[in-house]
Amino acid sequence: MADHDGGPRVNLPLTIPDLPPSIPDLAGQVLTVTGPVDPSALGPTLMHEHLFVDLRRPAHALRPGEDSPQAREPLTLANLARTRHGAVNADNDVLADFDEMLAEVGEFRRAGGGTVVEVTSLGIGRDPGSLRRMSRASGLHIVMGAGWYTPTFHPPDLGERTVDDLTAVIVRDIVDGADGTGVRAGIIGEVGAESAPLTPGELKSVRAAGRASRVTGAPITFHVGGVGEEKFTVLDILDEEGVDPSNVVLGHAGTMAVDLPFARRVLARGVFIEFDFLASPGSPWGHLVLLGDHKVARGIADLVEDGYSGQILLGHDVCQKIQLKRYGGQGYSYIPDHFLPALRRLGVADEAVHKIMVDNPARALTFTTPAP
């Protein structure tokens, strides 16, 4: 049977060249940057954040004005408003100061948080060593991502590399650790799948993510996971690769909050949907806020009433300086401080809130049994 990218369908057990000689069985555990932990240890969890990230575009894909002197200015009060309204600022696109980020993520810890899923993937500034250091300094569990983001940030040679080549890179990040640090990825993603239609590179990246998930038992999280009906193309690929849908997270699901029939079709596949981009007006690049947080909260409340509380996840997707409290943003504590109370005011019971913040992340992040 032909796959969506024209390649042959995978038959298990898998035989992929260049894999580590043995794959540990982490079934029933969550893999953090400091090692495996029991899912019950996670506590309230933000499922989609960035602590260290570099979203400056490569030279071949600069945005208009990105090479201008104005775009190279440090982010200050003098240009903060302009940046919030979408002006390109390279400094805004980088989170890298350890002490600054420790203070920021400490606000989530103060609000009772236990775990942050850090979904910075390859090519956008992932920093495994700093994530391990951050976990120890903050007292938070941190789960690190793997795989590839959107086509703009794909490696130049991705077109020449096979699905198995890409799979082996992801598997080694999970089994051996990333970039020679020994820090192991505990989730695959955020995997970019946002084009309409999906590009050949995105399809290859999606399939490699699925294959690596089947080999290791690791969960997968997606940047969009396909626009509209393309979501079902992505889910069909993962099904062909033998991925358990309960290990799949479709991020940036905000528009589903106002299209509940479509949301129900997606949820019927058994995956998690993740509402993020919360409290991020003007960020990133001035175009990600598609609707107000009240509409998202209302949609979540309706889905909970429909019986889907067990498939909903939350995150802020902090990925630029203007989202940090230091620069007037809401940072990493907006969800516990403001969004969860809003859900409760809309009638979402504490039991459902606990599912969304604690039980669902624990299930979503738990490894399944690897393929033989």
Side-chain angles (χ1 to χ4, degrees):
M1 173 180 173
D3 286 339
H4 296 88
D5 63 358
R9 181 169 178 170
V10 171
N11 294 311
L12 301 177
L14 296 163
T15 54
I16 299 173
D18 300 322
L19 288 184
S22 62
I23 306 294
D25 186 352
L26 292 169
Q29 300 180 81
V30 174
L31 183 55
T32 75
V33 294
T34 58
V37 300
D38 190 273
S40 64
L42 299 185
T45 299
L46 298 177
M47 282 293 297
H48 193 114
E49 308 297 346
H50 301 272
L51 302 176
F52 301 99
V53 68
D54 185 346
L55 290 170
R56 292 174 295 183
R57 300 240 181 152
H60 69 274
L62 294 178
R63 291 161 284 167
E66 192 158 8
D67 57 351
S68 69
Q70 185 182 69
R72 292 194 293 270
E73 296 173 352
L75 185 64
T76 66
L77 283 175
N79 56 23
L80 182 60
R82 185 171 69 240
T83 303
R84 285 197 179 281
H85 284 88
V88 177
N89 181 281
D91 185 37
N92 182 46
D93 289 337
V94 181
L95 302 179
D97 185 295
F98 184 88
D99 290 336
E100 180 176 271
M101 298 314 298
L102 176 61
E104 292 284 339
V105 80
E107 290 293 296
F108 178 57
R109 181 68 170 159
R110 171 200 58 76
T115 301
V116 173
V117 181
E118 215 278 10
V119 294
T120 303
S121 43
L122 294 170
I124 55 171
R126 186 181 67 174
D127 190 341
S130 291
L131 290 178
R132 178 168 54 191
R133 182 182 167 206
M134 181 65 73
S135 178
R136 290 169 174 165
S138 67
L140 291 163
H141 295 295
I142 296 176
V143 176
M144 183 177 75
W148 288 271
Y149 188 46
T150 60
T152 296
F153 299 96
H154 283 175
D157 66 343
L158 187 135
E160 287 72 57
R161 297 162 76 176
T162 68
V163 171
D164 282 352
D165 291 337
L166 301 180
T167 300
V169 172
I170 299 170
V171 171
R172 286 194 174 277
D173 274 0
I174 296 166
V175 174
D176 296 333
D179 307 331
T181 63
V183 178
R184 297 157 69 189
I187 195 166
I188 302 167
E190 60 180 300
V191 177
E194 66 170 6
S195 303
L198 293 167
T199 67
E202 286 173 308
L203 291 168
K204 186 184 294 186
S205 174
V206 168
R207 188 170 295 282
R211 200 163 294 183
S213 174
R214 189 71 183 94
V215 170
T216 61
I220 312 174
T221 187
F222 283 95
H223 170 84
V224 183
V227 176
E229 295 299 314
E230 294 270 24
K231 291 191 189 305
F232 299 103
T233 299
V234 169
L235 295 179
D236 287 346
I237 290 172
L238 299 180
D239 185 58
E240 291 167 2
E241 293 294 332
V243 178
D244 185 336
S246 67
N247 255 27
V248 176
V249 178
L250 297 184
H252 311 330
T255 55
M256 290 194 222
V258 293
D259 188 353
L260 298 185
F262 183 78
R264 294 183 190 105
R265 288 177 58 206
V266 173
L267 290 163
R269 297 291 293 264
V271 300
F272 290 95
I273 62 173
E274 174 187 272
F275 295 94
D276 38 56
F277 296 161
L278 299 176
S280 54
S283 174
W285 313 315
H287 71 266
L288 284 186
V289 178
L290 305 178
L291 44 94
D293 286 355
H294 179 77
K295 291 182 180 178
V296 174
R298 178 71 267 170
I300 291 173
D302 289 341
L303 289 171
V304 168
E305 188 174 354
D306 287 349
Y308 294 108
S309 61
Q311 290 173 260
I312 295 171
L313 302 166
L314 296 178
H316 301 97
D317 194 17
V318 172
C319 58
Q320 290 187 313
K321 284 187 173 71
I322 61 173
Q323 293 167 272
L324 303 177
K325 289 194 174 183
R326 178 173 178 176
Y327 296 90
Q330 295 283 356
Y332 299 94
S333 64
Y334 172 79
I335 287 174
D337 286 348
H338 301 291
F339 194 76
L340 298 183
L343 288 181
R344 292 186 177 100
R345 288 194 295 271
L346 289 169
V348 178
D350 286 343
E351 179 184 3
V353 171
H354 191 272
K355 276 188 181 181
I356 292 168
M357 290 301 296
V358 179
D359 297 341
N360 295 351
R363 287 191 297 111
L365 294 169
T366 298
F367 275 56
T368 59
T369 301

